[in-house]
Amino acid sequence: MNAARAPIAELDHGAPVRRVAGFMRLLRTNGFRVGLGETRDASVIMASAIGLSPRRLREAFKALCCSTHSDWERFDQLFDSYFLGRGVKRAVRMTGASRDNRKPARRLGEAGSPEKNSPADRIESDAGQSVGSPADGPARRMSASPAEATQAKDLRRIVVPEEVALANALAQRLARSMRARLTRRERVRAKGRRLDLRRTIHSSVAKGGEPLDLVWRRRKPKPLRLVVLLDASGSMEPYTPFFIRFMHGVVDAFREAEAFLFHTRLVHIAAALRDRNVTRAIERLSLMAQGIGGGTRIGESLADFNTWHARRVIHSRTCVMIMSDGFDTGAPGVLAREMRRLRKRCKRIVWLNPMIGWRDYEPSARGMSEALPYVDLFAPAHNLESLAALEPYLARI
Amino acid sequence: MTTDRNTIAARLAEVGYVADRDIATALWLMDLLKRPLLLEGEAGVGKTEVGKALAQIHGCELIRLQCYEGLDQNAALYEWNYQRQLLAIKAREASGEDAARIEAHIFSEDYLLERPLLAAIRRDKAPVLLIDEVDRADEEFEAFLLELLSDFQVTIPELGTVKATTIPRVVLTSNGTRELSDALRRRCLYHYVEFPDVDREARIILARLPHIHHALAHEIARVVHAIRKEELRKVPGVAETLDWAASLLGLNVQHLGDDPETIHATLICLLKTQEDRARVTPEVVARLIDFGHKDASQSLRVAGSV
């Protein structure tokens, strides 16, 4: 074992415990959730028979210290670099970078709520107010935190890595607050409509079999399910990475969410999005969604969705969210027909169109005008603010 | 009683569980550190089987708790037998017995219905407690579970605190339909179960279907491996592979290349959605089988040259 190359300076050859502690510190800086309990247990393992075989030790530490699939996948590299001195520098730095993606999300999530005072009608009024409009800009910037500055920016302009992380965190927090609002509505009230006989009898036992305290039951409402369909065609390209991050947040935070991506065909991406590491999720997606950036056949993609997936993913409390600019290159009439089919199945259809953020935009594209009659909410999605404004609407569904 | 790692690995093989490389270490750590083991992985990779195998290698009882949405304490921990309690009250009413004594009687052990979690901590010999698909239960239940897993004691208001007579070995499985809490994850050892590779899957087939021909088992494993790489909505699991192998055995198929149409018809064992069925056409099947052959001959050549 080559201790000299290990990143912890005060490492001592003769002290396995300190060596373990150093390794735990390395794991912690790489985003693993290990505490003192794990350090103690790792020392126990180190002192056991296994401590002599590096391979076995790695297996054991892996089982102990990992808690998610993404931890599981990068553990070997970290272990090898620390204990065996292999490929040290690159491995450590690479994983360090991915951790930055995760940290801000959590910190932001804890700090206060997002813009609470954004009522539903803001969605409509927001439409005219485009990208960092000068009238709105200065006043905002004086009082606002950096997080807010990103909120008002057009999504296409979010390119700096820090801002990407921030946008991502906001999207995740938004998804979380939606969920929180929704599940709070589910709390069971003290009074219900029907008697819960079983519990009533239980409480009556204490009264000698006389049912004095009645226990009531009430039907539990279903949680809202969100199905997101993202247009990943060429015209949407500037917005696609952002929306994917937003979808990642949604899939991660909603108890029930499904995600699809379409351009000339439809791809089911919820499984790829369940990867907690945003960067890798997006990499996996770009592999799955070959052909991204070409033309759009919204109608055909929706037909696919209606035929194959709708039966499974849509239930009575489903909101379908379509993110598209409505530029359809398919045959005319198909989109309208498929929207009608979709309409019959689900509770609400939300269409988010980044183009509304542009000045003087009118939904004149043929696809858009075909779809509009079936849409419950037609809203802009050119910045985070406009997404945040959706929150009260979704909570009401 | 701590069994060392190699003994566990050997016993796993004895009970017919074809283990992946490092699961034995994780199972050994469970005993050493007294922590539960959380297994994650795609549906159908054999997570539940690990729990069953663990019970077999320790020769103890397997207590299984299947989680579902809305699972509550009554279904998971304990419940009073209300019907019997009411009967007892009515029966004793006439005798004019003291109310306090009636109460003490009907809230005694006789009227307690054990559910899996309570049963698991009251056995003479430590059982294996398999908490299956913990992600299907809701967050409240998860918090409750966490408490039980750290203290191993249960408070029943009418009866007092029940302490564990033995600490069960706990295995949790999750399919990832919902993200588990960090607290629960940290409490557990973690193992990610992957789909078996071709060789291991072939060994699994041979272990479960001893009559199957050795070459056919390998052929099946290779084709399934290739099918998993196709873009499917529902990737076939190990159980599906076994079904398929059994059906091929029943049809007396010697080689997959012999009768492509029959093979295609039997794929209903593997592909469980209409969409996937439509995607894997007879031509695709033929390609996969061919590919498998080429793969095999190549690996043979490599083995030969080495």
Side-chain angles (χ1 to χ4, degrees):
Chain A
M1 290 194 199
N2 187 352
R5 295 190 60 183
I8 309 298
E10 71 272 22
L11 207 68
D12 192 336
H13 283 266
V17 175
R18 288 178 69 184
R19 201 157 159 68
V20 167
F23 182 55
M24 291 296 157
R25 207 176 316 162
L26 173 72
L27 289 182
R28 235 166 272 147
T29 52
N30 277 288
F32 282 63
R33 289 154 225 159
V34 287
L36 288 178
E38 280 71 26
T39 311
R40 191 198 53 225
D41 285 350
S43 311
V44 173
I45 296 172
M46 196 82 159
S48 74
I50 263 184
L52 297 173
S53 150
R55 213 188 85 195
R56 294 268 177 269
L57 194 65
R58 182 170 75 191
E59 288 170 5
F61 277 12
K62 196 174 181 181
L64 177 69
C65 302
C66 294
S67 52
T68 63
H69 188 203
S70 48
D71 290 352
W72 182 261
E73 285 189 332
R74 60 207 171 110
F75 181 86
D76 286 354
Q77 215 177 8
L78 287 169
F79 183 93
D80 288 355
S81 73
Y82 185 83
F83 283 102
L84 310 173
R86 280 183 204 145
V88 191
K89 290 273 149 75
R90 268 195 67 212
V92 174
R93 201 161 300 152
M94 258 168 54
T95 41
S98 76
R99 166 187 145 247
D100 287 344
N101 279 339
R102 206 157 65 170
K103 264 285 163 64
R106 197 167 301 160
R107 228 177 289 139
L108 277 169
E110 282 157 10
S113 54
E115 299 239 302
K116 272 235 180 81
N117 54 345
S118 47
D121 54 19
R122 178 90 151 269
I123 298 172
E124 265 71 50
S125 70
D126 236 25
Q129 205 184 91
S130 81
V131 203
S133 68
D136 190 43
R140 221 164 217 302
R141 229 146 270 158
M142 274 201 288
S143 62
S145 67
E148 251 175 314
T150 326
Q151 277 189 343
K153 243 182 221 176
D154 192 323
L155 299 176
R156 283 171 308 158
R157 315 217 168 150
I158 303 181
V159 271
V160 193
E162 291 82 44
E163 294 196 4
V164 169
L166 211 60
N168 176 27
L170 279 168
Q172 284 201 11
R173 191 180 63 186
L174 180 66
R176 289 219 171 102
S177 75
M178 283 177 185
R179 179 188 63 165
R181 290 185 75 112
L182 294 165
T183 43
R184 263 205 299 278
R185 285 157 53 94
E186 281 174 23
R187 283 274 156 80
V188 185
R189 302 278 181 283
K191 294 203 170 164
R193 293 159 72 181
R194 290 196 307 152
L195 260 183
D196 187 331
L197 268 177
R198 197 172 190 85
R199 292 206 170 81
T200 304
I201 291 173
H202 184 203
S203 67
S204 81
V205 171
K207 307 273 190 308
E210 302 300 330
L212 295 177
D213 299 329
L214 300 183
V215 182
W216 296 94
R217 195 153 63 171
R218 177 176 227 186
R219 276 172 55 209
K220 194 183 166 198
K222 276 188 190 172
L224 175 73
R225 180 183 289 175
L226 195 59
V227 175
V228 192
L229 295 159
L230 172 65
D231 180 349
S233 59
S235 52
M236 288 283 289
E237 209 167 80
Y239 300 97
T240 310
F242 167 78
F243 278 132
I244 287 179
R245 261 176 236 116
F246 175 69
M247 286 163 92
H248 187 264
V250 165
V251 169
D252 200 33
F254 265 80
R255 190 116 143 234
E256 294 185 6
E258 284 290 343
F260 295 86
L261 188 141
F262 65 90
H263 32 89
T264 48
R265 64 195 179 92
L266 187 77
V267 192
H268 184 203
I269 56 170
L273 282 180
R274 294 227 159 86
D275 199 328
R276 284 207 102 183
N277 181 335
V278 187
T279 329
R280 207 180 40 231
I282 290 175
E283 268 168 25
R284 275 179 72 178
L285 274 185
S286 45
L287 279 178
M288 287 171 72
Q290 304 258 320
I292 227 173
T296 338
R297 288 212 287 267
I298 308 180
E300 277 85 344
S301 302
L302 269 184
D304 250 10
F305 176 77
N306 283 333
T307 317
W308 296 112
H309 303 282
R311 204 179 315 148
R312 181 177 56 91
V313 302
I314 292 185
H315 64 32
S316 53
R317 258 178 67 78
T318 301
C319 173
V320 175
M321 191 187 266
I322 301 172
M323 300 170 172
S324 167
D325 52 13
F327 288 121
D328 183 20
T329 56
V334 180
L335 180 57
R337 190 187 70 214
E338 295 305 327
M339 284 299 285
R340 194 162 50 236
R341 277 177 74 189
L342 186 61
R343 168 81 276 188
K344 277 187 194 151
R345 275 188 190 276
C346 67
K347 175 127 176 148
R348 290 277 185 279
I349 301 181
V350 181
W351 192 298
L352 299 181
N353 190 334
M355 306 296 280
I356 310 183
W358 292 24
R359 269 180 211 192
D360 309 325
Y361 169 78
E362 277 180 40
S364 55
R366 179 185 53 77
M368 204 60 253
S369 55
E370 268 186 27
L372 262 186
Y374 306 101
V375 173
D376 293 292
L377 176 78
F378 185 52
H382 58 288
N383 59 22
L384 289 168
E385 240 178 11
S386 53
L387 279 177
L390 283 175
E391 185 192 335
Y393 174 80
L394 286 171
R396 247 189 297 127
I397 289 180
Chain B
M1 160 205 87
T2 317
T3 331
D4 74 350
R5 187 212 164 265
N6 295 333
T7 319
I8 288 184
R11 282 207 204 142
L12 270 179
E14 268 170 40
V15 300
Y17 180 82
V18 185
D20 70 353
R21 217 166 41 84
D22 40 9
I23 186 97
T25 308
L27 294 180
W28 170 72
L29 279 184
M30 285 176 74
D31 279 355
L32 183 76
L33 305 174
K34 302 269 178 278
R35 283 183 186 237
L37 174 65
L38 170 65
L39 296 171
E40 276 194 318
E42 306 261 336
V45 290
K47 298 185 288 291
T48 308
E49 289 303 311
V50 176
K52 291 182 184 166
L54 184 65
Q56 273 184 299
I57 62 175
H58 289 293
C60 60
E61 188 186 355
L62 175 76
I63 297 176
R64 179 172 171 171
L65 174 67
Q66 171 68 48
C67 295
Y68 52 87
E69 191 171 344
L71 176 66
D72 61 356
Q73 198 165 309
N74 290 337
L77 190 60
Y78 72 90
E79 194 165 23
W80 290 105
N81 191 341
Y82 308 120
Q83 286 85 348
R84 274 195 69 194
Q85 283 178 327
L86 281 180
L87 275 176
I89 295 171
K90 290 289 168 207
R92 273 148 205 264
E93 234 171 27
S95 72
E97 214 175 315
D98 181 29
R101 281 191 52 193
I102 296 183
E103 195 181 326
H105 177 74
I106 63 165
F107 284 114
S108 63
E109 292 262 345
D110 290 348
Y111 295 84
L112 191 67
L113 294 175
E114 264 184 359
R115 301 284 190 229
L117 292 183
L118 184 63
I121 64 169
R122 302 216 300 173
R123 290 288 186 264
D124 295 331
K125 185 176 183 201
V128 169
L129 173 62
L130 174 65
I131 301 174
D132 225 353
E133 303 188 327
V134 64
D135 51 331
R136 286 188 194 274
D138 28 31
E139 281 112 351
E140 291 83 358
F141 181 75
E142 199 180 294
F144 161 73
L145 199 59
L146 202 63
E147 199 187 308
L148 181 80
L149 291 183
S150 57
D151 298 345
F152 286 107
Q153 63 176 34
V154 173
T155 302
I156 301 173
E158 298 89 348
L159 208 62
T161 302
V162 179
K163 281 217 172 66
T165 48
T166 50
I167 305 288
R169 296 185 176 86
V170 184
V171 177
L172 301 102
T173 73
S174 161
N175 276 336
T177 57
R178 176 176 65 82
E179 200 48 62
L180 299 176
S181 74
D182 277 5
L184 185 67
R185 284 181 182 280
R186 274 207 35 206
R187 183 83 210 103
C188 300
L189 298 170
Y190 181 86
H191 187 84
Y192 189 84
V193 187
E194 314 257 4
F195 277 115
D197 55 19
V198 174
D199 183 50
R200 203 180 127 218
E201 189 149 27
R203 278 188 288 137
I204 294 174
I205 297 172
L206 287 167
R208 290 297 172 90
L209 302 166
H211 300 301
I212 203 164
H213 199 271
H214 199 272
L216 181 63
H218 273 87
E219 240 178 327
I220 290 171
R222 269 194 298 275
V223 171
V224 171
H225 188 70
I227 284 185
R228 286 201 186 113
K229 283 186 181 157
E230 294 287 305
E231 206 180 280
L232 294 180
R233 234 192 50 214
K234 193 189 165 310
V235 182
V238 179
E240 274 101 335
T241 310
L242 290 172
D243 284 350
W244 191 43
S247 68
L248 291 176
L249 191 64
L251 287 169
N252 263 331
V253 175
Q254 303 294 328
H255 291 287
L256 290 184
D258 292 349
D259 187 1
E261 267 180 38
T262 316
I263 306 296
H264 185 249
T266 54
L267 280 183
I268 46 171
C269 301
L270 286 182
L271 307 169
K272 301 288 175 69
T273 70
Q274 202 181 354
E275 197 188 8
D276 291 348
R277 286 280 291 157
R279 187 164 285 158
V280 183
T281 54
E283 292 77 43
V284 175
V285 178
R287 174 171 61 81
L288 292 178
I289 293 172
D290 263 8
F291 184 73
H293 277 302
K294 227 175 282 165
D295 227 32
S297 55
Q298 241 166 27
S299 62
L300 278 180
R301 220 174 301 138
V302 170
S305 68
V306 172

